C-alpha cells in the first residue's frame, strides 16, 4: 500500500491541514485527539461513521447527527433521512446496527453507496476485536461498495484484506512534528492485585481511572479496599449484571457527568470514547494474566488509546503487569506457517467432502470441517476471513510482549511513551492465588486453599522484598470465609476430610467449636463450683445458672439439661422440695474435682 505523510504541529487539528478525509484511504493519525471525527462531522457531505461501541456514539452525538444502536429502529432512521431540516445527513452507527441504515435507505430508494461517505473510526478494532466479536466486521462487504470510504485510527494497522489494494487504498500518515511522549511508570510484579491495591491505598489523588478488563478483578479490588462508595464502574449492560452478583450496583453503561475518586473501566472504554474531566486524573492500566489473557493491555495500541481518551490531559500514567514465561508464542514467520498448515488441512478435508458421492461420508466430512479450528478463518461464502487472520497474527505479537518484562518494557519505549520501571516481588504471587480457582469444586478449591494457607504461615521465615502474607490471608478470609475458618478451626487434615460441601465444612466447624467449648477447663471448674454434689433445683434455675457460666466464658453453647448431663450424674426429672416446678438433682461430677 502506497504511503503518504503529512505533518501536524503540536496545537493543530486535522481540519487545519486537510479539508476532508480523502476516499480510499487508511488514515493513520499517530496522535489521538486531533479532531478526525469532528472533521468528518463538519464536512459538507452525507456521512456514515462506524464507531466500535455505543458510549462513543453517545459521547459524540449532537444536534443534527443521528446515533444508531440497539433500541433505534428503521422507522427512526427513515424519519431522519426524510427530514429536510438536515440537508446534510450524519450517522454515527455501531457495526451491529449498520444493517438498519441500509434497510432504511432501501425503503426510501436512496443509493447510499454513491451518495454517502463511509468512515470506519478506530478501524484497528476490526482486526483486534473480531476474535471474540465477529459482528464487528458485518459492514465490511458493504463498505467496499461505497464509492467514497476510509479507515482511520491513531493506532491503525494496515489490513491484509486484498480488497483494500483492489480499491487502490493508500495510507495517509499524520505525523506530529513535535515530541508527544508521555511519562509512564511501569510496575513489573508477581502479584498484580497487591501492587494495584498498594498503589491505590497510598494514592492521594483526587481522581484515579483504572482500566482493568475483568469484572471479577474490579469487584475484588473494590471490596478489599472498602472503596465501594467512592467508586464508579463503567462497563456494558451484560457486565453490570455480573457485577450485581458480586454485590455492586455502582456500574454505568455510559460515561457520567460525576466521576468518582476511583473510576474503573473495562475494555469497552479503551478506544474512541472522549472523556472530559475538570481535572487531570491519574491513569492506571492493569494486566493480570492469571485472571485472564483478555486483561492484556497492548502497549502499542490499547495503552496509546487509553491515555488519549482524556481530552484535557492526564497527571500520571501507571501500567501494572505480571508475566508468563509459559505463554506459547509464535514469531510472525511461525504464525504464518502455522496458518498455512491449518489452511492446507482444511482444504484437504473440504476437497474430500466435495468429491464424495456417499451421503454418509459427505455429512461426516462436513461435520469434521466445521469442527476444524481453521473454519473460523473462513467466511460464509468460503473465502478467507482476512480480519481473523490479522487477529491471529496480532494476538501472537501481543502474547510475546507478556512473555517477560524486557519485551514489555521495550514495547513502551516508543514515540508515545517514555517509561521508567519498578519491580515488585511479593511473598505470595498471583499464580498461587486460589481466587482464580473459584469455579473449581469445593474439594478442589479447599485443597488449593490449604496449600496456600500453609505456605502463608511460613511467610516470616522467607526473604522476599514485600511480605504480603497477612493481607492475602485477610483477602482469602473475606472471599472464602467458610474454608479459611475451617482451616484455622479444624486444621488441614480434618478440613480436607470434610470438604465435599460448604455445609459439611460449616457443620464440622460448628461441632469442633462446640466440643472445644465443652472441654474448656475453666468452664468445667466453674460448673463444679456452681453445682455441688447433691444439689437440687427446678429446671429453670438449673438452666439459668448454667447460662451464666457459659456467658462468663464466652462459649457458644446452649444451656440445656442435656449439656448439664455431659458433666454430671443427674437424676430423672423429679419434684424439688420448696418449688412447684419440677427439676433435677445433681448427684456428682463426672470429672475429678
Amino acid at each position: 500500500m502506497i504511503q503518504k505523510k503529512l505533518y501536524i504541529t503540536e496545537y493543530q487539528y486535522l481540519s487545519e491541514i486537510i479539508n476532508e478525509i480523502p476516499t480510499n484511504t487508511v488514515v493513520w493519525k499517530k496522535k489521538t485527539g486531533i479532531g478526525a471525527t469532528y472533521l468528518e462531522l463538519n464536512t459538507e457531505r452525507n456521512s456514515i461513521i462506524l464507531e466500535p461501541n455505543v458510549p462513543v456514539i453517545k459521547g459524540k452525538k449532537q444536534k443534527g447527527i443521528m446515533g444508531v444502536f440497539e433500541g433505534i429502529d428503521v422507522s427512526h432512521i427513515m424519519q431522519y433521512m426524510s427530514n429536510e431540516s438536515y440537508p446534510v445527513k450524519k450517522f454515527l452507527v455501531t457495526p451491529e446496527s449498520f444493517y438498519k441504515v441500509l434497510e432504511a435507505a432501501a425503503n426510501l430508494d436512496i443509493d447510499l453507496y454513491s451518495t454517502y461517505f463511509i468512515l470506519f473510526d478506530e478501524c484497528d478494532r476490526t482486526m483486534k476485536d473480531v476474535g471474540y466479536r465477529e459482528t464487528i466486521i458485518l459492514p465490511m462487504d458493504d463498505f467496499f461498495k461505497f464509492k467514497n470510504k476510509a479507515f482511520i485510527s491513531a493506532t491503525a494497522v494496515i489490513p491484509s484484506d486484498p480488497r483494500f489494494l483492489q480499491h487502490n487504498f493508500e495510507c495517509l500518515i499524520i505525523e506530529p512534528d513535535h515530541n508527544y511522549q508521555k511519562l509512564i511508570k511501569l510496575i513489573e510484579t508477581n502479584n498484580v492485585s497487591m501492587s494495584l491495591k498498594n498503589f491505590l491505598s497510598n494514592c492521594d489523588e483526587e481522581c484515579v481511572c483504572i482500566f482493568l478488563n475483568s469484572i471479577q478483578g474490579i469487584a475484588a479490588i473494590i471490596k478489599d479496599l472498602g472503596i465501594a462508595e467512592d467508586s464508579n464502574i463503567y462497563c456494558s449492560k451484560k457486565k453490570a449484571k455480573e457485577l450485581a452478583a458480586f454485590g455492586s450496583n455502582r456500574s454505568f453503561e455510559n460515561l457520567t457527568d460525576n466521576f468518582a475518586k476511583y473510576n474503573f473501566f473495562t475494555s469497552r472504554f479503551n478506544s474512541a470514547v472522549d472523556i472530559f474531566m475538570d481535572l487531570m486524573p491519574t491513569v492506571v492500566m492493569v494486566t493480570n494474566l492469571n485472571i485472564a489473557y483478555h486483561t492484556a493491555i497492548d502497549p502499542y495500541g490499547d495503552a496509546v488509546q487509553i491515555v488519549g481518551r482524556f481530552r484535557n490531559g492526564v497527571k500520571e500514567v501507571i501500567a501494572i503487569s505480571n508475566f508468563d514465561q509459559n505463554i506459547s508464542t509464535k514469531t510472525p514467520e511461525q504464525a504464518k506457517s502455522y496458518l498455512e498448515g491449518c489452511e492446507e488441512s482444511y482444504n484437504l478435508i473440504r476437497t474430500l467432502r466435495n468429491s464424495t458421492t456417499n451421503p454418509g461420508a459427505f455429512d461426516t466430512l462436513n461435520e469434521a470441517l466445521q469442527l476444524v479450528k481453521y473454519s473460523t478463518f473462513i467466511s460464509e461464502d468460503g473465502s478467507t476471513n482476512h480480519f481473523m487472520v490479522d487477529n491471529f497474527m496480532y494476538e501472537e505479537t501481543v502474547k510475546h510482549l507478556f512473555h517477560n518484562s524486557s519485551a514489555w518494557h521495550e514495547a513502551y519505549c516508543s514515540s508515545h511513551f517514555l517509561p521508567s520501571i519498578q519491580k515488585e516481588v511479593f511473598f505470595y504471587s498471583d499464580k498461587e492465588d486460589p481466587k482464580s480457582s473459584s469455579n473449581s469444586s469445593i474439594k478442589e478449591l479447599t485443597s488449593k486453599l490449604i496449600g496456600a494457607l500453609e505456605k502463608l504461615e511460613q511467610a516470616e521465615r522467607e526473604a522476599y522484598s514485600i511480605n504480603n502474607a497477612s493481607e492475602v490471608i485477610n483477602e482469602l478470609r473475606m472471599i472464602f470465609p467458610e474454608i479459611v475458618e475451617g482451616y484455622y478451626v479444624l486444621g488441614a487434615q480434618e478440613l480436607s476430610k470434610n470438604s465435599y460441601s460448604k455445609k459439611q465444612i460449616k457443620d464440622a466447624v460448628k461441632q469442633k467449636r462446640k466440643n472445644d467449648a465443652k472441654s474448656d477447663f475453666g468452664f468445667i471448674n466453674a460448673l463444679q463450683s456452681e453445682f455441688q454434689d447433691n444439689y437440687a433445683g427446678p429446671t429453670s434455675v438449673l438452666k439459668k445458672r448454667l447460662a451464666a457460666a457459659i456467658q462468663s466464658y464466652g462459649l457458644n453453647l446452649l444451656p440445656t439439661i442435656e449439656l448439664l448431663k455431659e458433666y454430671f450424674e443427674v437424676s430423672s426429672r423429679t419434684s424439688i422440695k420448696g418449688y412447684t416446678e419440677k427439676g433435677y438433682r445433681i448427684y456428682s461430677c463426672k470429672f475429678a474435682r
Side-chain angles (χ1 to χ4, degrees):
M1 188 177 291
I2 296 173
Q3 293 189 355
K4 295 181 179 179
K5 187 175 290 189
L6 291 176
Y7 290 92
I8 190 168
T9 63
E10 187 169 1
Y11 299 107
Q12 273 187 316
Y13 288 98
L14 190 59
S15 59
E16 296 178 70
I17 61 173
I18 58 175
N19 294 323
E20 62 181 28
I21 295 172
T23 188
N24 291 359
T25 305
V26 174
V27 182
W28 183 8
K29 58 183 180 175
K30 287 287 186 85
K31 187 179 175 183
T32 60
I34 62 172
T37 309
Y38 174 85
L39 170 59
E40 185 52 44
L41 289 175
N42 287 277
T43 300
E44 286 294 314
R45 61 184 175 191
N46 296 326
S47 303
I48 298 170
I49 304 176
L50 294 164
E51 295 289 359
N53 50 52
V54 176
V56 183
I57 295 174
K58 290 186 175 180
K60 295 180 184 291
K61 189 178 176 299
Q62 52 189 280
K63 186 176 180 181
I65 299 170
M66 182 163 196
V68 183
F69 41 83
E70 184 181 5
I72 303 298
D73 59 33
V74 173
S75 63
H76 295 132
I77 301 169
M78 291 173 64
Q79 288 174 14
Y80 173 74
M81 283 182 165
S82 303
N83 191 337
E84 295 182 0
S85 299
Y86 306 116
V88 175
K89 305 296 189 295
K90 299 289 181 179
F91 287 98
L92 292 166
V93 191
T94 61
E96 289 81 0
S97 289
F98 175 66
Y99 77 93
K100 300 178 199 175
V101 180
L102 292 176
E103 187 175 331
N107 290 344
L108 295 172
D109 200 26
I110 295 173
D111 181 7
L112 282 182
Y113 301 131
S114 63
T115 59
Y116 275 74
F117 179 87
I118 187 167
L119 175 68
F120 210 125
D121 195 17
E122 306 303 344
C123 59
D124 50 320
R125 302 316 314 178
T126 55
M127 172 270 293
K128 293 176 180 177
D129 294 357
V130 69
Y132 66 90
R133 182 189 173 191
E134 294 179 21
T135 52
I136 197 169
I137 61 170
L138 283 175
M140 288 313 302
D141 287 342
D142 287 289
F143 175 85
F144 289 104
K145 295 177 184 178
F146 279 78
K147 180 181 178 181
N148 299 302
K149 52 196 173 292
F151 259 28
I152 192 167
S153 178
T155 50
V157 177
I158 304 301
S160 67
D161 192 317
R163 289 177 293 184
F164 286 92
L165 292 179
Q166 291 165 10
H167 287 263
N168 299 313
F169 266 70
E170 296 180 345
C171 178
L172 176 61
I173 301 172
I174 309 298
E175 185 76 54
D177 68 354
H178 54 280
N179 184 357
Y180 55 100
Q181 286 178 309
K182 286 186 169 57
L183 296 176
I184 183 170
K185 180 192 287 186
L186 306 180
I187 299 178
E188 170 196 348
T189 180
N190 68 336
N191 194 314
V192 172
S193 298
M194 199 59 64
S195 286
L196 176 59
K197 283 186 283 188
N198 285 352
F199 177 81
L200 294 180
S201 297
N202 297 311
C203 181
D204 295 326
E205 298 300 331
E206 188 177 343
C207 182
V208 185
C209 294
I210 304 106
F211 288 78
L212 171 57
N213 194 33
S214 168
I215 289 299
Q216 180 182 347
I218 291 172
I221 292 293
I222 290 174
K223 182 177 180 180
D224 294 346
L225 293 180
I227 57 175
E229 295 304 313
D230 295 319
S231 298
N232 285 353
I233 306 161
Y234 298 93
C235 61
S236 67
K237 192 181 297 184
K238 179 180 178 182
K239 293 298 181 182
K241 291 180 180 178
E242 292 182 34
L243 267 175
F246 289 106
S248 174
N249 60 357
R250 292 288 298 254
S251 60
F252 303 90
E253 187 179 2
N254 300 296
L255 294 176
T256 61
D257 293 328
N258 298 313
F259 289 96
K261 179 175 182 179
Y262 304 102
N263 302 279
F264 292 84
F265 299 85
T266 62
S267 62
R268 177 182 175 87
F269 294 86
N270 280 10
S271 62
V273 182
D274 295 334
I275 303 177
F276 292 96
M277 291 184 168
D278 296 331
L279 45 71
M280 292 192 294
T282 292
V283 174
V284 186
M285 302 179 291
V286 183
T287 295
N288 190 339
L289 302 178
N290 288 311
I291 291 179
Y293 173 73
H294 64 243
T295 65
I297 291 177
D298 167 23
Y300 294 117
D302 296 327
V304 174
Q305 290 285 357
I306 286 170
V307 176
R309 296 309 94 224
F310 298 89
R311 295 316 195 192
N312 294 329
V314 297
K315 184 173 184 179
E316 185 181 16
V317 184
I318 313 291
I320 303 174
S321 184
N322 53 11
F323 304 91
D324 186 356
Q325 293 184 345
N326 296 318
I327 289 180
S328 176
T329 61
K330 298 176 178 64
T331 65
E333 294 75 19
Q334 289 171 335
K336 183 179 178 182
S337 176
Y338 176 83
L339 285 180
E340 287 173 350
C342 292
E343 183 179 17
E344 183 180 341
S345 299
Y346 181 88
N347 288 337
L348 178 61
I349 297 173
R350 183 165 61 179
T351 299
L352 289 172
R353 181 201 65 179
N354 294 342
S355 61
T356 185
T357 57
N358 185 298
F362 182 91
D363 289 346
T364 301
L365 289 167
N366 191 56
E367 184 178 343
L369 203 60
Q370 302 308 313
L371 295 174
V372 172
K373 182 180 178 181
Y374 191 76
S375 63
T376 60
F377 292 80
I378 302 298
S379 300
E380 288 185 8
D381 63 1
S383 62
T384 299
N385 185 332
H386 293 279
F387 292 96
M388 281 297 298
V389 172
D390 291 346
N391 174 263
F392 179 80
M393 302 294 287
Y394 167 76
E395 292 287 343
E396 290 299 319
T397 300
V398 173
K399 281 196 291 184
H400 171 73
L401 301 180
F402 293 94
H403 190 261
N404 57 68
S405 61
S406 296
W408 183 61
H409 182 213
E410 185 179 342
Y412 274 106
C413 296
S414 66
S415 58
H416 291 279
F417 297 109
L418 187 61
S420 62
I421 193 161
Q422 174 179 319
K423 187 172 183 177
E424 295 184 354
V425 181
F426 291 86
F427 168 80
Y428 196 75
S429 71
D430 282 310
K431 200 165 187 178
E432 300 166 295
D433 197 339
K435 294 195 298 295
S436 61
S437 307
S438 57
N439 290 328
S440 304
S441 69
I442 292 297
K443 189 162 185 66
E444 291 171 336
L445 181 59
T446 300
S447 176
K448 291 178 181 178
L449 276 163
I450 288 172
L453 291 166
E454 286 178 337
K455 179 179 178 181
L456 289 164
E457 287 187 331
Q458 303 299 319
E460 298 302 324
R461 296 195 289 273
E462 300 288 344
Y464 280 79
S465 61
I466 306 174
N467 192 328
N468 61 323
S470 60
E471 291 97 331
V472 174
I473 291 173
N474 289 335
E475 185 177 321
L476 295 177
R477 194 187 301 276
M478 284 191 292
I479 299 172
F480 310 108
E482 300 88 359
I483 300 175
V484 175
E485 183 184 28
Y487 175 81
Y488 287 108
V489 173
L490 302 173
Q493 189 173 356
E494 279 302 308
L495 173 59
S496 183
K497 289 180 183 177
N498 291 278
S499 61
Y500 289 97
S501 69
K502 285 185 180 180
K503 183 179 184 304
Q504 186 184 23
I505 294 173
K506 285 181 178 179
D507 289 345
V509 167
K510 185 177 179 181
Q511 188 59 49
K512 180 68 163 58
R513 288 193 183 282
K514 188 175 180 180
N515 292 341
D516 288 347
K518 289 179 181 178
S519 60
D520 185 288
F521 290 119
F523 175 60
I524 292 173
N525 288 332
L527 289 182
Q528 290 175 339
S529 298
E530 190 72 29
F531 301 102
Q532 298 293 324
D533 290 354
N534 290 313
Y535 173 85
T539 301
S540 61
V541 173
L542 293 173
K543 286 184 175 181
K544 186 175 181 179
R545 296 179 73 172
L546 181 56
I550 290 171
Q551 185 177 2
S552 66
Y553 282 87
L555 303 179
N556 187 23
L557 296 172
L558 293 176
T560 63
I561 298 302
E562 287 69 25
L563 178 64
L564 200 63
K565 289 179 179 179
E566 293 188 34
Y567 297 95
F568 299 95
E569 297 293 344
V570 179
S571 71
S572 301
R573 190 163 180 267
T574 184
S575 298
I576 304 298
K577 186 176 180 181
Y579 294 95
T580 56
E581 180 188 357
K582 289 188 176 183
Y584 299 85
R585 180 176 294 278
I586 296 176
Y587 295 125
S588 62
C589 182
K590 291 182 177 179
F591 302 93
R593 290 186 183 272

